[in-house]
Amino acid sequence: MRDFQPNTIIEPFRIRSVEPLRFTTFEERDQALRRAGYNPFLLHADEVLIDLLTDSGTGAMSSRQWAGMIASDESYAGATSFYKFEAAVRDITGFKHVLPTHQGRAAEHILFTTIARPSHVIPNNTHFDTTRAHVEHAGAEAVDLVIDAGHHPRLIHPFKGNMDLDALASVIRETGPDRIPAIMLTVTNNSGGGQPVSMANIRAVSDLAHRHGIPFFLDACRFAENAWFIKTREPGYADKAPLDIAREMFSYADGCTMSAKKDGMANIGGFLALNDDALAAQCRGLEILTEGFPTYGGMAGYDLEAIAQGLYEALDPHYLHYRIRSIAYLGDKLVAAGVPIVQPTGGHAVYLDAREMLPHIPPLQYPGWALNNALYLLGGVRGVEIGTVMFGLRPDGSEGPAAMDLVRLAFPRRVYTQSHVDYLVEVILEVYARRERLPGYRIVWQSPTLRHFTARLEPLSES
Ligand code: F0G
């Protein structure tokens, strides 16, 4: 007998603890959506059947993670759980100083409060919302420099999250290195469709930064998914383990911010890790003020245990193969049916192109919002609009279209199975078939900042 290679990629786990789904009728969802001011953020989670609002903190933990949590050390200072966490982060990232934080944005807060000042500029491929907000809160300017391919939803490119190196060189020249306290790369590029950054690009950005004496940081939330894309798409990496690829990615950087709610496989947590002794000492001072003593930083000992284990599980090749394939599986079915999506599919989500799908709804009548609400009404599916409701309100109170009107369907890690995805395909195709009849929306109430979280809307016509 010879070995054989099956083609079916299976979920690399079996399920020992289950959480029932709650089914609702169309009428119940219609009522729920009205009550929520047609804003899916204001739904109760048990009114949602398949919840793809985010992949952040929504994953399932493994039996090994739970075992670690039970055995955690909850000492205020010097807990063994901290040293386990620190050892795991150091082993994977190679960074000398590890500062735990309660989630990713807390690491951003500590870093940018410490290094950024008014008149400073921080380049990134694309800043995530909270990263941009912390840069701006420190008075600095956040500049997005993703390559041009990153702006075209249908253009196929293996590393659409790459930084535009010429644009970065120009920004350094025009701004002057003294006013650039850090250059950042977000891996994968969440706001740009979950698209990866190549090792060559990470290395080139690092070289450029260091030639000008500028520190280089990774926003590493989805570092393991990025490592898998490098393994499968970049020449020379096919035979390398994701752990080694991740180590190489981090080796070019001086530090990173991390939300462990993504590739930390945990429900909460994060860290700031870096090599510079003086900067680490400054950051620790602020950490004590805002997060807690540096051996727990806003987390319980059991959270530190979950992350110490989760970081390695995220790098398991069987897990990553299944993870990236399950997103592509949905994307392939949608593309085959003609549904416009951001291509190629990214690491953690499928992004539907609502502006393309709903040309009868102008951006200021929020096609992404309309599409997301239709997915909920017809199938109990909740995604998130990444479009004009989220980005269209300017600081002066005026409104304009966002660059794109997308709906992100982000997959919690190890939570849904293939039949959930098949169901999802059916729902999306049904909405697609009815697309010409979907109504636009108008906002009836909004807050002046981050309006999408709390806005109340109504459909422009009942369908
Ligand atoms: N950076 C990136 C690239 C992110 O995607 C997120 C969170 C953060 C930083 C902040 O981390 O939530 O732990 O404070 N993204 C979530 C999402 C919220 O839905 O994409 P956090």
Side-chain angles (χ1 to χ4, degrees):
M1 228 161 6
R2 283 190 296 118
D3 193 13
F4 101 119
Q5 287 301 322
N7 288 320
T8 311
I9 298 156
I10 61 170
E11 285 86 5
F13 48 80
R14 53 186 186 179
I15 299 165
R16 198 160 59 102
S17 171
V18 296
E19 198 184 340
L21 292 178
R22 186 167 159 264
F23 290 83
T24 51
T25 63
F26 180 87
E27 284 69 32
E28 285 168 337
R29 293 193 293 276
D30 188 48
Q31 280 303 315
L33 202 55
R34 281 170 202 270
R35 194 208 65 234
Y38 292 93
N39 184 344
F41 277 107
L42 304 180
L43 291 169
H44 295 195
D46 68 356
E47 291 162 341
V48 178
L49 185 66
I50 308 272
D51 203 349
L52 307 178
L53 181 67
T54 179
D55 64 321
S56 180
T58 50
M61 287 202 293
S62 67
S63 45
R64 286 199 178 163
Q65 285 178 293
W66 284 111
M69 289 176 77
I70 295 287
S72 70
D73 176 356
E74 299 300 336
S75 303
Y76 188 95
T80 52
S81 298
F82 170 73
Y83 292 109
K84 218 162 130 185
F85 166 87
E86 182 187 51
V89 176
R90 276 196 185 143
D91 179 41
I92 294 167
T93 67
F95 297 128
K96 187 171 168 193
H97 302 283
V98 181
L99 286 68
T101 59
H102 79 280
Q103 59 183 81
R105 68 197 69 183
E108 294 165 359
H109 172 74
I110 292 170
L111 179 66
F112 292 117
T113 306
T114 308
I115 65 170
R117 299 279 169 273
S119 90
H120 281 176
V121 171
I122 315 273
N124 200 324
N125 45 358
T126 312
H127 288 82
F128 181 69
D129 327 16
T130 58
T131 326
R132 170 174 287 277
H134 280 297
V135 168
E136 291 175 353
H137 188 67
E141 189 189 345
V143 184
D144 292 340
L145 301 174
V146 75
I147 54 167
D148 186 54
H151 296 298
H152 301 284
R154 230 75 64 233
L155 201 140
I156 305 285
H157 181 293
F159 293 103
K160 272 173 121 170
N162 281 356
M163 180 90 93
D164 182 331
L165 297 168
D166 292 335
L168 179 61
S170 309
V171 167
I172 296 173
R173 204 167 41 245
E174 283 155 24
T175 312
D178 297 349
R179 291 202 289 125
I180 305 181
I183 293 171
M184 238 180 161
L185 270 177
T186 305
V187 295
T188 59
N189 191 21
N190 184 14
S191 306
Q195 300 292 322
V197 181
S198 70
M199 193 72 89
N201 193 256
I202 295 174
R203 204 181 301 121
V205 171
S206 168
D207 284 349
L208 197 52
H210 292 149
R211 234 180 295 142
H212 292 92
I214 304 169
F216 168 50
F217 279 77
L218 291 177
D219 175 339
C221 299
R222 300 179 179 85
F223 74 99
E225 290 169 5
N226 200 85
W228 187 258
F229 283 117
I230 289 175
K231 181 177 170 68
T232 52
R233 293 185 183 170
E234 192 160 350
Y237 289 93
D239 297 330
K240 296 209 164 125
L243 174 59
D244 292 326
I245 296 173
R247 283 183 179 138
E248 184 181 340
M249 285 164 52
F250 286 114
S251 74
Y252 299 119
D254 302 291
C256 73
T257 55
M258 172 76 188
S259 167
K261 300 171 76 172
K262 286 85 168 173
D263 281 348
M265 298 287 212
N267 298 127
I268 196 73
F271 55 84
L272 169 65
L274 69 172
N275 284 332
D276 186 297
D277 295 337
L279 181 59
Q282 261 182 299
C283 288
R284 273 205 188 94
L286 186 55
E287 183 189 28
I288 294 172
L289 194 65
T290 58
E291 292 291 289
F293 192 73
T295 63
Y296 74 87
M299 281 185 282
Y302 51 72
D303 298 322
L304 295 163
E305 292 277 347
I307 298 166
Q309 173 65 23
L311 289 167
Y312 288 106
E313 291 181 7
L315 287 163
D316 172 14
H318 291 291
Y319 160 73
L320 282 170
H321 194 193
Y322 137 83
R323 168 80 177 157
I324 303 300
R325 178 61 206 146
S326 61
I327 311 292
Y329 175 82
L330 172 60
D332 290 351
K333 293 207 166 198
L334 297 179
V335 169
V339 178
I341 64 167
V342 175
Q343 287 177 276
T345 45
H348 66 298
V350 166
Y351 294 67
L352 306 174
D353 188 344
R355 193 175 291 173
E356 175 86 16
M357 195 194 294
L358 307 173
H360 65 288
I361 304 180
L364 294 185
Q365 292 177 12
Y366 316 126
W369 207 268
L371 176 58
N372 195 31
N373 281 358
L375 292 171
Y376 176 69
L377 271 176
L378 276 183
V381 172
R382 172 161 71 170
V384 65
E385 187 246 25
I386 303 208
T388 302
V389 177
M390 192 179 270
F391 299 121
L393 186 62
R394 305 190 182 109
D396 67 1
S398 66
E399 202 186 16
M404 295 190 269
D405 278 293
L406 306 174
V407 171
R408 185 186 76 172
L409 304 172
F411 280 77
R413 290 169 180 75
R414 305 188 291 206
V415 168
Y416 294 114
T417 64
Q418 188 168 345
S419 63
H420 292 114
V421 178
D422 288 335
Y423 168 84
L424 186 62
V425 171
E426 218 182 309
V427 173
I428 296 169
L429 294 191
E430 184 59 34
V431 170
Y432 185 61
R434 301 187 196 193
R435 64 191 180 279
E436 286 168 13
R437 280 175 285 151
L438 299 192
Y441 278 79
R442 72 179 195 92
I443 292 176
V444 292
W445 182 85
Q446 64 182 10
S447 98
T449 49
L450 298 172
R451 65 176 176 177
H452 53 288
F453 290 121
T454 51
R456 300 188 79 82
L457 296 93
E458 65 187 21
L460 287 167
S461 59
E462 291 296 332
S463 57

